[in-house]
Amino acid sequence: MPFPPAELPRGVLRLGADESFQPVIQEQIKVFLSQNPDVKIKVIYKRESKCIRDLLDNCIQMMIISRGLTPKEETFMQAKNSYYVPKFELISYDALAVIVHPKALKKRFKIEELRSLLKGNNKKR
């Protein structure tokens, strides 16, 4: 939803993001920019540890990573930038969908069975 006219975002946002999120973030940025043409977003995709370092070094203004900051990281960030109080928002959860052939004999799995299958410890039955 577009911003009200008085709150329209403008300028350049430097964003760091975990590399694994690139396809999703690119699509979200397209939608955002279509509704907010006065904004430019520069995204740097890299490992989450480097995103955190870039935020601490003021190279980026925002980051999208797969977790919240640890208490140690929050303390360090506040000590380095006394005006900065880190905020984060949960935007999604991971999920796993198991799709089996309609003629498969097994339709339900226990968590332990899935874990074993994903580790490659599957046994033919």
Side-chain angles (χ1 to χ4, degrees):
M1 179 177 210
F3 288 92
E7 298 176 21
L8 281 175
R10 300 186 190 294
V12 177
L13 171 66
R14 295 181 324 272
L15 168 68
D18 187 294
E19 302 159 315
S20 63
F21 297 134
Q22 186 170 357
V24 174
I25 291 172
Q26 285 177 330
E27 292 304 313
Q28 293 298 314
I29 288 173
K30 281 181 193 175
V31 172
F32 182 83
L33 293 178
S34 72
Q35 298 173 354
N36 301 281
D38 292 333
V39 177
K40 302 288 184 246
I41 300 177
K42 294 182 179 181
V43 185
I44 302 165
Y45 296 100
K46 51 178 66 178
R47 290 192 319 263
E48 126 184 328
S49 61
K50 291 193 183 239
C51 288
I52 293 170
R53 187 176 309 125
D54 282 356
L55 188 65
L56 287 169
D57 292 340
N58 203 26
C59 296
I60 58 175
Q61 298 158 300
M62 179 180 156
M63 67 180 170
I64 299 174
I65 58 175
S66 63
R67 62 178 179 81
L69 296 175
T70 65
K72 185 178 178 181
E73 289 167 337
E74 281 190 43
T75 301
F76 183 77
M77 200 169 279
Q78 287 174 336
K80 186 165 182 167
N81 301 304
S82 60
Y83 63 89
Y84 181 74
V85 178
K87 297 178 194 172
F88 70 93
E89 196 68 41
L90 181 64
I91 57 174
S92 69
Y93 289 99
D94 285 337
L96 176 65
V98 179
I99 301 170
V100 297
H101 191 277
K103 293 182 181 177
L105 298 175
K106 186 154 180 109
K107 304 281 187 206
R108 294 177 179 233
F109 296 89
K110 294 179 182 175
I111 295 292
E112 296 81 25
E113 292 174 302
L114 291 174
R115 189 174 289 126
S116 180
L117 284 168
L118 292 170
K119 287 181 177 178
N121 301 329
N122 53 339
K123 298 175 188 166
K124 294 210 176 209
R125 296 179 189 219

